[in-house]
Amino acid sequence: MGCFGIICCVPKCIFKIILSILIALGLAVLIVWLILRPINHLKFNVTDASLTQFNITGNDMLHYDLAVDLNLRNPNKKIGVYYDQIEARAFYDGRRFDSVMLTPFYQGHKNTTILRPVFKGQRLLPNVQGEYNKDMVDGKFNVEVKLYLKMRFKAGVVKTTKFKPRVKCEFEVPLAGSNPAIGFTPKKCGYGCCALLCCFPRCMCNIILSILTTLGLAALIVWLIFRPINPLKYHVDNASLIQFNVTGNDMLHYELAIDLSLRNPNTRIGVYYDQIEARAFYDGQRFDSVMLTPFYQGHKNTTILHPVFKGQKLLPNVQGAYDKDGSDGKFNIEVKLYIKMRYKAGDVETIRVHPGYKCELEVPLGSASGFTPQKCTFVCCVPKCIFKIILSILVAIGIAVLIVWLILRPINPLKYQVDNASLTQFNVTGNDMLHYDLAVDLNLRNPNTKIGVYYDQIEARAFYDGQRFDSVMLTPFYQGHKNTTILRPVFKGQHLLPNVLGEFNQDKADGKFNVEVKLYLKMRFKAGLVKTTKFRPKVKCQFAVPLGSSVEFTSEKCDYDW
């Protein structure tokens, strides 16, 4: 019969007791989380923004001066918020051009705080000239500010652990003095709940968070049960540095011997040292490593090891540290131990663990002064069984996520296609200016019998030769079961499109122009009384459209990506 890794060392009755404890802990963590989580969600808004300077020079250098008023609202009556770290990053056309760190603060109950990050300077932003010219014509620039936060909640005297949400603020800001009639429109900001799980309802997010916390406590409890009661102790009792000099070509010549003391203070636990590797470092660079002989160490036992490092090694850029240490009379050397070991309690042996220890030494050259013994510090220890448990947990979570997705997603995929398109005007002038008038009939089909779709936001963007020349916002709507909706975005105007004349002449000779329309959606599904959180798929429609009505248009299916 097989067992369950580390659990096979524990009688079944103890395993049942541990399982009961874990279930109780899981329920306790879930209850505490439901009590302490914010009842009302925090609110983030951009109330005002001023753009004093925003221009691109011929070498793709963006010069900018942007100030933003961010409104942070805590609507809760009993919960305060510690904003331990706030980083604001500014983006244009999907590229970051600046970031600033804001002052941390505590926000009390039912409180509003105004932050005012200012972005000023210059930044190289290649390939944004087209977007810049379009925004310049529109009179507003599409800017995005993201907040990267580290925050904690406080309820009474209880403080939670840190959370790291990201807040995304998209807004259009006019250039100061360009057109007084155009003002700034305040915008709400969106934020994620828990990274990948943001695509699921918040209650599901909270439940999964509780499960992960419980599993973490379970792993900790199992580790505390199986670890040695008294920690093993490692010391460097003595070290002698017979040779240690750097030649003009950065070659280090060395001879270092150390006495390494390994102490097992436990009365019932022995240790198998299956592999011991000692590595020597100077100024952060490794210059030698030696493998020591494996051995078994009994109860309350001390073992002395004598690793010797001797030879030469090329160590670039250490002359400064070497000269400083030489003047001090002691050299700062670091020895790290990489160990593979097992514990033995009675007839039971654990699986291998892989701890690391770091010994920081100050060693005099020769015998000029005495060596001071040093303790070694613990670096890491991740038992393979714990790794396997974590891997199994991740696989289980992946399966759970897949099951939830299969339940919540539409049983029949939504269908998108271009039924018709008319191109009244489409020509490129000598200065690479595209003049266009394009109308598209988009067919959106929901074939499901029990699932409706809320299209909360629909943005249609038109592209030619991979470059966007226009975008329009369409009216949001609800689409019922087994329903078809026709959308008709119209793109009309002019836009600077450099380096498309070759493609234009080729398409003109063929009699059809290869145009691409992409839909950027924010949508929710409805099944009965249940509504999902928002999804953000992208729909891509590629088609060839003739100029005028001399050639019949052929309908094309669209692809989409979730």
Side-chain angles (χ1 to χ4, degrees):
M1 285 182 66
C3 58
F4 300 97
I6 197 167
I7 295 172
C8 56
C9 305
V10 186
K12 285 187 177 180
C13 62
I14 297 179
F15 172 70
K16 291 178 180 178
I17 293 171
I18 294 175
L19 187 61
S20 302
I21 293 172
L22 295 181
I23 293 173
L25 286 172
L27 291 173
V29 170
L30 177 59
I31 292 169
V32 171
W33 166 249
L34 292 174
I35 292 172
L36 292 182
R37 72 186 178 90
I39 299 170
N40 299 307
H41 298 294
L42 304 178
K43 297 177 182 179
F44 300 85
N45 296 277
V46 178
T47 55
D48 194 18
S50 63
L51 195 61
T52 310
Q53 182 184 20
F54 205 78
N55 64 288
I56 295 180
T57 58
N59 58 352
D60 291 329
M61 186 67 71
L62 174 67
H63 300 263
Y64 55 89
D65 188 351
L66 169 67
V68 182
D69 287 349
L70 292 167
N71 181 304
L72 284 63
R73 175 67 179 166
N74 174 17
N76 297 286
K77 294 180 180 179
K78 298 181 179 180
I79 297 175
V81 184
Y82 285 96
Y83 287 93
D84 296 322
Q85 182 175 305
I86 312 168
E87 180 185 4
R89 299 180 184 177
F91 294 79
Y92 181 66
D93 197 27
R95 303 184 183 188
R96 184 173 73 176
F97 62 85
D98 203 355
S99 66
V100 295
M101 298 299 295
L102 304 177
T103 305
F105 65 96
Y106 172 75
Q107 188 178 49
H109 317 149
K110 297 186 73 66
N111 194 279
T112 300
T113 305
I114 304 295
L115 301 180
R116 189 177 172 84
V118 177
F119 308 94
K120 185 175 182 179
Q122 58 184 29
R123 180 67 179 250
L124 183 67
L125 283 193
N127 304 320
V128 300
Q129 188 71 50
E131 179 71 15
Y132 177 84
N133 291 336
K134 179 183 179 302
D135 289 349
M136 195 73 177
V137 172
D138 296 339
K140 289 186 176 184
F141 293 91
N142 294 296
V143 178
E144 185 178 77
V145 171
K146 295 181 181 178
L147 299 180
Y148 292 76
L149 307 175
K150 290 183 181 178
M151 58 196 298
R152 295 168 293 149
F153 298 107
K154 179 183 178 184
V157 296
V158 178
K159 298 177 185 178
T160 68
T161 188
K162 281 187 180 178
F163 295 86
K164 298 182 181 182
R166 296 180 182 179
V167 180
K168 183 179 178 181
C169 308
E170 296 175 326
F171 53 91
E172 296 179 338
V173 55
L175 186 61
S178 60
N179 188 348
I182 302 177
F184 179 79
T185 304
K187 291 287 185 180
K188 291 183 178 180
C189 304
Y191 61 93
C193 61
C194 49
L196 182 64
L197 302 178
C198 292
C199 302
F200 298 95
R202 293 185 186 275
C203 62
M204 185 66 66
C205 176
N206 294 339
I207 292 171
I208 293 176
L209 263 178
S210 302
I211 293 173
L212 292 177
T213 304
T214 305
L215 291 172
L217 290 172
L220 178 61
I221 290 170
V222 172
W223 167 244
L224 291 174
I225 292 173
F226 284 92
R227 71 181 178 91
I229 297 172
N230 296 309
L232 304 178
K233 297 178 181 179
Y234 298 82
H235 294 82
V236 176
D237 294 334
N238 195 20
S240 61
L241 195 59
I242 301 169
Q243 182 183 18
F244 204 77
N245 64 289
V246 178
T247 59
N249 58 352
D250 291 330
M251 186 67 70
L252 174 67
H253 300 264
Y254 56 89
E255 184 175 348
L256 169 68
I258 65 174
D259 292 342
L260 187 62
S261 168
L262 283 64
R263 174 67 179 166
N264 174 17
N266 296 285
T267 55
R268 298 182 180 180
I269 297 176
V271 184
Y272 286 98
Y273 285 94
D274 296 324
Q275 182 177 305
I276 310 172
E277 181 185 3
R279 299 180 185 176
F281 295 79
Y282 182 66
D283 196 30
Q285 301 184 54
R286 185 172 73 176
F287 61 86
D288 203 356
S289 65
V290 295
M291 298 299 295
L292 304 176
T293 305
F295 65 94
Y296 172 75
Q297 187 178 49
H299 316 148
K300 297 186 74 66
N301 194 279
T302 300
T303 305
I304 306 295
L305 302 179
H306 305 277
V308 177
F309 307 94
K310 184 176 181 179
Q312 58 185 25
K313 178 79 175 186
L314 182 66
L315 286 193
N317 305 318
V318 300
Q319 188 69 50
Y322 178 83
D323 293 339
K324 181 180 182 303
D325 290 349
S327 63
D328 295 340
K330 290 186 177 182
F331 292 90
N332 293 297
I333 297 175
E334 188 176 76
V335 174
K336 293 182 181 179
L337 302 178
Y338 295 83
I339 301 172
K340 293 182 180 179
M341 61 197 297
R342 292 168 293 144
Y343 299 108
K344 181 182 179 184
D347 294 329
V348 178
E349 295 178 8
T350 68
I351 60 167
R352 277 185 180 172
V353 293
H354 301 255
Y357 289 86
K358 182 169 68 173
C359 311
E360 296 179 335
L361 316 174
E362 292 184 347
V363 189
L365 186 60
S367 57
S369 59
F371 173 78
T372 304
Q374 296 290 332
K375 289 184 179 180
C376 301
T377 57
F378 175 77
V379 179
C380 63
C381 181
V382 183
K384 285 188 177 179
C385 64
I386 301 290
F387 173 76
K388 291 178 181 178
I389 291 171
I390 294 173
L391 187 62
S392 302
I393 291 168
L394 294 178
V395 172
I397 291 172
I399 294 173
V401 168
L402 178 62
I403 292 171
V404 173
W405 163 247
L406 292 173
I407 292 171
L408 293 181
R409 73 179 179 91
I411 298 172
N412 297 308
L414 304 178
K415 298 178 181 179
Y416 301 88
Q417 70 178 40
V418 178
D419 288 342
N420 194 21
S422 62
L423 196 60
T424 310
Q425 182 184 20
F426 204 78
N427 64 289
V428 178
T429 60
N431 58 351
D432 291 329
M433 187 65 71
L434 174 67
H435 301 263
Y436 55 90
D437 189 350
L438 170 67
V440 182
D441 289 347
L442 291 168
N443 182 309
L444 283 64
R445 174 68 179 166
N446 175 16
N448 296 286
T449 55
K450 297 181 179 180
I451 297 177
V453 185
Y454 285 96
Y455 285 93
D456 295 323
Q457 183 176 305
I458 312 168
E459 181 185 5
R461 299 180 184 177
F463 295 79
Y464 182 65
D465 195 28
Q467 300 184 55
R468 184 173 76 174
F469 61 85
D470 203 357
S471 65
V472 295
M473 298 299 296
L474 304 177
T475 305
F477 66 96
Y478 172 74
Q479 187 178 49
H481 315 149
K482 296 188 73 69
N483 193 279
T484 300
T485 305
I486 303 296
L487 301 180
R488 189 177 172 83
V490 176
F491 308 94
K492 185 175 181 179
Q494 60 185 24
H495 192 79
L496 183 66
L497 283 195
N499 305 319
V500 299
L501 193 54
E503 180 72 15
F504 177 82
N505 291 333
Q506 177 66 43
D507 289 350
K508 188 175 181 180
D510 296 339
K512 289 186 176 183
F513 294 90
N514 294 299
V515 179
E516 184 178 75
V517 171
K518 294 181 181 179
L519 299 180
Y520 292 77
L521 307 175
K522 291 183 182 179
M523 59 196 298
R524 294 169 293 150
F525 297 106
K526 180 183 178 184
L529 298 175
V530 178
K531 297 178 184 177
T532 68
T533 188
K534 283 185 181 179
F535 296 84
R536 301 189 179 189
K538 296 178 182 179
V539 180
K540 182 179 178 182
C541 307
Q542 295 178 319
F543 53 91
V545 55
L547 185 60
S549 57
S550 58
V551 182
E552 185 177 353
F553 178 82
T554 304
S555 63
E556 295 285 350
K557 290 184 177 180
C558 303
D559 299 323
Y560 59 89
D561 181 16
W562 289 93

